[in-house]
Every structure is written in structure tokens, then in C-alpha cells.
Amino acid sequence: MVHIYYNRKMLLVLALLAATGIAACWSGRSRQVDFSADVKPILNKKCITCHGGVKAKGGFSVLFREEALAKTESGEPAIIPGDPDNSEMIRRLTLKDPEERMPYKHEPLSEDEIDILRRWVKQGAKWGDHWAYLPVKQTPAPDEDNTWIRNDVDRFVFEKLDAQDLEPAAEADPETLLRRVSLDLIGMYPPREVADQYLKNSDDKGYERLVDALLASTHFGEKWASMWMDLARYADTKGYESDGGRSIWRYRDWLIDAFNADKPYNVFLTEQIAGDLLPNATDAQYIATAFSRNSMTNDEGGTDNEEFRIAAVMDRVNTTWESVMGTTFSCVQCHSHPYDPFHHDEYYKFMAYFNNTRDNDIPGEYPVLREYNDSLKNELTQLISWIKEKGTAEQSERVRHFLKTLQPAFYATTADSLKNALPTNKNGPLNMRNQSHARLKHIQLDGIGQIVFMFYSNKPGGKIIFRKDHPLGEILGTYVVQPEGGWRYGIMGTAAATGIHDVYVTYQNPGDKTTDIMATFDWFGFLPELPAKGTPDYAAHEKTYQDLLNARPTSTPVMVENPVWMQRETHVFERGNRLTLGKKVTPAVPQSLGFAMPANAPKNRMGLAMWLTDKRNPLVSRTMVNRLWEQLFGMGIVESLEDLGTQGITPTHRELLDHLSWKFMHDDNWSIKKLLKEMVMSATYRQDSKLTDELKEKDPTNKWLARGPRVRLSAEQLRDQNLCISGLMSAKMHGPGVMPWQPDGIWLSPYNGARWRNSTGEDQYRRAVYTYWKRTAPYPSMISFDGVQRVLCTARRIRTNTPLQALTTLNDSAYIDMARHLASRMQQEGGKDVAGQIKKGYQLMLYKPIKEDKLKVFEDLYQQALKEFKPGSAKTKAMMGGQENATPAAAAMVVVANAMLNLDEVVVKN
């Protein structure tokens, strides 16, 4: 009876299992197909290469729903919603004939893939939005209860770990956490008193005090500016072949100050996109717009300025999308996006926001912000107040804007109808011979009373005459040239005129019969005359005006908008070719992100900034949260920082990303410091980073965060850490780029003969963020550790592991110099005993005692090195940098210090 009962029980269980299996199978076939999760991956992988934004073979595209359901070249649609049996797409997927079956000449779709597509069509072929293009919604943290959890970040992480049958790691030791969080938040080691205070009291409150101290440090901004400089493609040179110098370091300093002040991220973006358009814009807000002026300019002789101006404008579009919205928008300049819902013409509508700025790919890099010193600032303020009092507010604003930016100016490179005149190297300043003229097109003459121009002439007897509409037309004004060396400003009054006219600039010199170049012009400005001419105080204010104009203040390339009379039209470039103009477009943003421009947003970069920072924008907050996460954990929640689109890597913790993104905008009011604090205060961040056998098998890349971050330090962190350990780090902030040690010959600058001149004093030990960055020859040791050229926006550095890295840290003279100073510090602070000195060095590097077996290795290395060095030998002196009184003991300790700086636990953030 027992045997019979057992068999019946087994039969019942089997029957239930069978029924469950049938139900599950039926449920799988009848459940609603998710377009984004189920269908889109198949289309992107198997179909869109031939039927997408680039190609639409047979007139069929699966990029947009309206295209997918439209009639094909056969006259019939390939997809009939609700009717898979009569849908040509489904039929072609199931054919056996390889000449007709799709995908053509590729592996057929699997039965499961075909079943998904069939059910999708049956259910109405509904389209769906990719997760990243959906609004950021408030996402409550999971109701997880575990003693490991410290904040809401951990609740999301723990839920995923539990689902993967993984346990979180224990908390890392205090010394490891001290080094980890310091490198992450300020990119270097903290002051000794901060470190000592934490190590004496490393409980939760002590750790929070440490985090707060790091967030308040002035070095915080230096670390995070370094991250943003890759996105902003910051460099101290212009790029391309000649790669001449560019004075734009004040933008780097603006970044440092913005991060230190915890400038809200929406304001941070607004000032970089449109700071010049803010009411009563400050110098700092103008400098912020250098974000867009980091584009390359081409000074090579014979280049087409308009070609490279357009290249710079497109670069600004692509940079804005990749850096701010994590989207690969650049391909849309040639065709509709192959994978994401962006139309070809939308690229040019977006480009129209950037197409009306005053920069023009010219050697002078105008417009620039001229930053006066304090005394000149006072003079400018007094002058503008006087103009406003004696004239009008409009006059005072035009003069102030001109003295600050030299805008609006008509660049001599764009002059035409040339007679006896030619540009320098085709694209440079305008050279004029005797009896010459050139046309300046479409100049607004309303309200002008003076012409200001920048020129060079050392010929006596010359006259510069400005005429209206014709080389012999009505004279607007005459300027008698006084021969002087160097570039200078000419200022002359003009006759009253109105309307928009062509203006001809002519040069005459009756006393000179040569064919030499008589004068060279850079730009021309048409401005209102100073008011109250003839009054007692006029002469003094006129002199102030001329002194301010002739001053040579620091100048930084910035963005300045064209006045109405200089505005450009924007057209679609057919297939991305600027010479094949399509329809005219006006500024607009893509419709696929599902939200319109904010009310009353102007159709300029300010309106664009309002759209970008609108809390309805689904990409901006997600992109920044993901980027900050990657900086701390080594990998973003979406690994592909540069692409949150449908071809990007699926987020590991999508709900956590949305939770933090919503909180970033609403609760934290766009505070980067608050967001970072929540991340580093989590138990997830504080975990030990040891890789167990279980994790090696289940999660080798730490996708599910069952251990702490373990990644190699960035190029900047590595240099800065070693400067701190060796005691060399300079605390000096801001200023022009410096040139730490580099061998001669790396720079080859045939056009201008520029050379790398090694800095001396503390400048050679400045933080890596201040290193002069030449695009065609970046600092070699940083490139070895995956620094980037900054030719284009770089959203993510890909970490490598090559022999060049070990060769750099073991042999580069800058690192050997650091090792010498570390060895000296070990000997001074570690006592007379070699073992004590080595222990001290290890403690300086990692805040913890060295293990005995490792100590033995370095003691042996010391003894081995000591045998190699002899008093007064060339080898000893070389190891000590040429010191005459170098001792073998000191040289041997340098070898040990150098080896210790190359330990895995020193090069890596454990």
C-alpha cells in the first residue's frame, strides 16, 4: 500500500508540474511583448543595419514606427499590426530560400526571436520608448531590511545581490577607506591632521567627519575639474597640424572654483552653454562659455575658415550631447540615427543654437574676454557711468561690451572684392598695398559715430579711408597713419549714416611708389561715438577709453552671440556635406525625448540651456549620476557612459539610477557634493575589495557590487598621489599651465618653434590638472596611463595594462625624482634602522603597517642594491640625481622607494 501511495503521489506531482509548465508556456506566449526589452534588441542586432537610419533597403525602415508601418517599394507595408500572417516582414523571416529569407546572407533568426516578433505584430506592433528617454520618476527604495544597509543606495544594491544569491563583503579597514575616499573625492592624500583625526576615531561619525572635510577641501575642485576637462576637450593649444598655443587656462580655473563652490549642476551647465547671455553677465560667466571654445581651430595656411568654423560648431553640438546627455548624436549629421529616435534634420535644428556666435576660426581666436586688473576695472566702471549719464544706456552698454570683448567686429578675413589686397596665407589678416580697397559686407551703420580697427603699418604718409557702398562712394571717415611698430588700434570719428550698407576700406599713400604691403588689418568695429563732445571732462574720458582699448589684459576665448544684422542662416547638410545645402531650419530640439521647450524660452543658447536643465529632461541628471558613480566605483551603472541609448550597455541597477537622478534634481537641488556624499557614505562603497573564488566565478567584473571598488588609479591620481607620498606636492592653485620634467625633443612645433621648458621651483611639483596640455604631444606619462588627447569630447577613459606603464613609473625621471624625495623622507622619519625606514615608507603610502614577508623582500632588495653602489661612483651619483656627496645607502634606499611606489596596492585603488 505504501508503494502504491508513493507512486500515486509522484504522478500527482508530475501532473502538477506538467500543468505548471503548460501554463508557463502559454503565459510566455500570451504575455504582452515589451518593445524596448524584447523587440528593439532583435531589430538592432539583426535588422537595422539594412533597414535603419543609414539604409532603408526595399523602402523599409524599423527605426521609427511611422516608417516601419509605411508602404515599402512594393507598394504594401511590411508590417500589418494585428496580422502577422499577412505581414511581409514575418513571412520573409520564416522562408527557407536563402535568396529571399531575411536577414539576407546572414544567420536566420532563432525560433524564439521569430516568435517574439510574431507576437509583437499580433499585439499591434506597438512601439516603446527606450528606458533612458522616459521621464525620471521618483523611485522608492526597496523595502530591504539587513544590518549591512546604511542608506537607500544599499537597499537597491542588496536587492540585486540577494537575487543573484550573493552576499556583500565586510567593511574595508579604516586605512583602506581613508586612502580610497581621499583619492576619490580630492584626487590626492588629505592633510596629515585630517588623516590622523580619522584614524584615531574611525567609527561612523569619524568617517562622516572625514568625508565632510574632503568635500570642503579646496582640492576637491581640482579633482573633479580634471574629470570635466576630458568632456570639455580642454587643452592649452588649438589643435590640428600647427597646434599653436591658446590662453584658456582661466576656464580650467573656473571649473575648479565651480566644483569647490558646489555650484548647482543646472547653473553649472547654464553658464557653460549660455553664460554670455545671462543678464549683466559677469567675467566668470563669460569665461564659463569657454566650454564651447575648447573646439580646435586651424591656423594652417590655405585652409578654408568657414569649413573649420562649421567643424567647430558641429563639435559643440556633439560635445553637448555626449557630455551632458550621454548620447551619440554625432552620426545624425549625416543621416537619421541608426539606432535611436533622432531624425537627420533635428541635428541641424539643434546646430542652429550654436551657429550664430562671433568666432570664425581665425588666428586671433576672437571673441575674447579681456579681464582688466583692479585699477582698470575701476576706470571702466567710471567711464561707463559717465557715458550712461551723458548719453544713453544703450550707448554705455555697447561701449562696455566692446571694451570687454572687442565685439561686434567685422573680421578682415571675411572681406571680399579685393583690389591690390590679399589675406595672409589665404585665411589670415588682410594685407593692403597702395591704391587698394576691400569690401566689408552688410554693416549696420545706425547709431555709429566711430570706427575702431586693429592694424599694423610702419609706412609714413598713408591714409585709410572708409567709404559707403562703393570704392569711390560717400566718405564715412579718414584716418591718417602714423608709422609705428607692432599691432595697434586705430580710432576715427565718422559721418552720420543709417541703414545696412557695404563699407569699403581703402588705402592711399601718394608719396610711396613701391608695391610693398602698406598696412595689415585684423578687424573693424563700428561703434557709437562717446557723448558730450566738447564738454570740459570729455578729453579725460576719451583718454580713459583709449587707455582701456590699448591695454593688454588677460584674454580668454569666449562665446558671444551675433547681433541681429550679422545672423547666419542654418541649413540641413545633405549627407553631412556642408557644400550641399538642404532646407533652411531654425533652432529646435528633438521631439523624441517627449517634452517641449520651457515656456518663453528664447530661440538661442539660453533657451537651449533652459531645455537641458529642465527637470523633465530624461538624460541630463541620469548622465551625471552615472558619471559620478563611475568615478567612484570604476564602472557606471550604465557601463557605456558615452551612450545611454539603445546600443548602450543595459544598466545593472536601473531603479537605483532613477532614484539618485530624481533625488539629485529635487531633494539635493542639483548639488554634486550631496550626491557624492550619499554614494561614499553607503555600505556598498565601504566594502572590502578582495576578490573571492565565488565572486571570481559569479561576478568577476563586480557588476553586482558584492565587493568594494578595485581599479587602477587615473593618470592624474597616480602622479598626485606620488607627489603627496614623497612630500613634494605644491599647494599652489590656479594660473597658466606648468611644464613638469619632460625630455627635450618630444615637442616638434615647426610653425612657431614652441618648446617645452621644464618648470622650476614648486611649479614642477604642481598637481597634474595644471600640466600644460598640447594636443599633438600630450604629457607622455599621462598618455601612458590612458590620459586622452582632448581632441574631441571623451566621456570615458578605457583602462589598459601595458608594459609602458611599468616602464614609466620605474624609469621616468619625474617618478625617479619623487622616489628620491620619498627615500629621503623615509630616512629622516624612519630612524636609523633600514627596516624602520621601509616601514615608514609603507605607512606613508598606505597608512598601515607592512607585513613581515613583504618587509623581508624590500630588505633583501636594499641589501642587493647596496652592493651595486660604491662611494663616489658614477652609478651612485646618477641614482641620486648628480649629488656630489651621494652615499650608497641613500642610493639603495631610492631603489627601494621606487619599487615600493610600484606596488600593486599603491598603483591600484583597493
Side-chain angles (χ1 to χ4, degrees), residues 129-292:
D129 291 317
H130 180 59
W131 68 267
Y133 305 141
L134 295 171
V136 178
K137 294 183 178 179
Q138 188 171 13
T139 308
D143 187 19
E144 297 288 343
D145 185 18
N146 187 280
T147 55
W148 174 78
I149 292 171
R150 292 183 181 274
N151 62 20
D152 284 345
V153 169
D154 301 325
R155 299 184 192 281
F156 288 98
V157 172
F158 188 83
E159 182 183 53
K160 291 284 186 180
L161 288 175
D162 197 40
Q164 300 296 321
D165 197 24
L166 290 171
E167 292 285 338
E171 185 173 306
D173 59 74
E175 295 82 4
T176 296
L177 275 181
L178 169 62
R179 178 172 176 266
R180 178 190 296 173
V181 75
S182 299
L183 288 169
D184 279 342
L185 292 184
I186 64 172
M188 58 186 282
Y189 285 9
R192 179 177 290 184
E193 59 272 17
V194 173
D196 289 345
Q197 182 185 30
Y198 169 66
L199 293 175
K200 289 176 183 175
N201 187 0
S202 58
D203 60 9
D204 282 352
K205 289 184 178 179
Y207 179 70
E208 186 170 8
R209 279 195 299 271
L210 169 65
V211 169
D212 288 340
L214 295 172
L215 291 172
S217 168
T218 55
H219 300 303
F220 173 88
E222 293 171 324
K223 192 279 179 195
W224 293 97
S226 183
M227 172 201 74
W228 195 263
M229 286 158 67
D230 279 2
L231 298 166
R233 65 263 186 262
Y234 173 88
D236 294 293
T237 58
K238 301 177 185 180
Y240 292 116
E241 184 185 19
S242 55
D243 201 22
R246 170 183 285 164
S247 179
I248 202 166
W249 52 268
R250 286 191 181 272
Y251 169 71
R252 179 247 290 140
D253 289 354
W254 179 89
L255 284 176
I256 293 170
D257 293 341
F259 279 111
N260 275 338
D262 199 19
K263 190 181 289 285
Y265 187 59
N266 57 340
V267 178
F268 178 81
L269 292 181
T270 296
E271 293 185 355
Q272 290 184 83
I273 297 294
D276 59 305
L277 299 177
L278 289 165
N280 302 313
T282 63
D283 285 0
Q285 288 167 335
Y286 269 102
I287 287 172
T289 67
F291 171 74
S292 291

Side-chain angles (χ1 to χ4, degrees), residues 496-779:
T498 59
I500 295 177
H501 297 267
D502 291 343
V503 173
Y504 283 79
V505 54
T506 67
Y507 180 88
Q508 298 174 7
N509 196 328
D512 196 312
K513 304 302 181 183
T514 69
T515 58
D516 296 344
I517 291 172
M518 302 287 180
T520 302
F521 295 89
D522 200 11
W523 52 259
F524 306 89
F526 298 83
L527 299 164
E529 186 180 22
L530 296 183
K533 192 170 184 178
T535 59
D537 56 352
Y538 175 84
H541 285 96
E542 183 185 37
K543 183 180 184 304
T544 298
Y545 174 72
Q546 292 176 351
D547 289 345
L548 288 167
L549 186 60
N550 284 287
R552 293 290 186 265
T554 301
S555 297
T556 303
V558 295
M559 297 285 270
V560 173
E561 201 78 351
N562 277 328
V564 173
W565 58 277
M566 299 179 86
Q567 297 233 325
R568 303 182 183 94
E569 289 185 348
T570 302
H571 291 260
V572 173
F573 297 165
E574 301 293 346
R575 296 177 179 269
N577 183 351
R578 73 180 182 91
L579 300 178
T580 308
L581 298 184
K583 66 179 181 180
K584 179 182 174 182
V585 294
T586 56
V589 293
Q591 299 302 303
S592 54
L593 295 186
F595 75 105
M597 268 283 181
N600 303 319
K603 283 185 171 292
N604 58 20
R605 286 177 287 112
M606 181 53 66
L608 175 60
M610 293 168 66
W611 179 80
L612 286 171
T613 58
D614 192 303
K615 291 178 180 178
R616 296 173 298 167
N617 191 314
L619 290 169
V620 170
S621 59
R622 284 181 173 126
T623 298
M624 190 57 172
V625 169
N626 194 47
R627 177 164 290 118
L628 299 182
W629 187 274
E630 186 264 353
Q631 288 286 304
L632 300 180
F633 290 91
M635 185 169 67
I637 295 173
V638 180
E639 184 178 349
S640 50
L641 269 65
E642 67 284 356
D643 188 5
L644 301 188
T646 59
Q647 287 297 95
I649 297 173
T650 303
T652 55
H653 300 75
R654 176 180 160 186
E655 294 80 9
L656 172 59
L657 179 59
D658 277 5
H659 171 84
L660 291 175
S661 300
W662 192 93
K663 189 175 182 183
F664 180 42
M665 292 188 289
H666 295 84
D667 293 350
D668 295 342
N669 293 316
W670 300 95
S671 166
I672 291 172
K673 287 188 176 182
K674 287 181 180 178
L675 176 59
L676 285 170
K677 182 174 181 179
E678 180 164 12
M679 291 179 181
V680 300
M681 290 301 296
S682 68
T684 303
Y685 177 81
R686 299 196 224 179
Q687 291 177 101
D688 189 280
S689 60
K690 291 186 179 69
L691 180 62
T692 64
D693 290 338
E694 179 188 18
L695 291 177
K696 193 183 297 183
E697 179 183 344
K698 290 184 176 181
D699 187 18
T701 61
N702 203 25
K703 178 179 178 181
W704 304 115
L705 301 166
R707 56 185 172 88
R710 187 185 186 280
V711 293
R712 197 204 65 221
L713 301 182
S714 70
E716 293 88 347
Q717 287 173 321
L718 194 63
R719 173 179 167 80
D720 291 349
Q721 171 192 250
N722 287 11
L723 285 172
C724 289
I725 292 170
S726 60
L728 289 172
M729 175 64 81
S730 165
K732 185 178 176 182
M733 295 179 66
H734 303 128
V738 295
M739 298 181 177
W741 186 90
Q742 173 178 291
D744 197 24
I746 290 177
W747 272 25
L748 296 173
S749 304
Y751 290 92
N752 55 23
R755 295 183 62 187
W756 182 276
R757 303 188 183 281
N758 290 326
S759 297
T760 58
E762 70 172 316
D763 278 352
Q764 64 185 308
Y765 302 124
R766 300 278 303 277
R767 290 200 67 172
V769 71
Y770 299 111
T771 300
Y772 191 95
W773 203 258
K774 185 178 177 71
R775 284 184 163 114
T776 54
Y779 195 57

Side-chain angles (χ1 to χ4, degrees), residues 417-423 430-438:
S417 298
L418 306 179
K419 178 186 176 183
N420 287 338
L422 72 163
L430 179 65
N431 300 302
M432 301 186 74
R433 295 186 173 93
N434 206 352
Q435 303 301 322
S436 60
H437 70 244

Side-chain angles (χ1 to χ4, degrees), residues 814-828:
Y815 282 91
I816 295 294
D817 185 35
M818 295 179 210
R820 290 191 190 108
H821 284 83
L822 173 60
S824 175
R825 190 177 180 189
M826 290 161 63
Q827 289 176 317
Q828 291 175 14

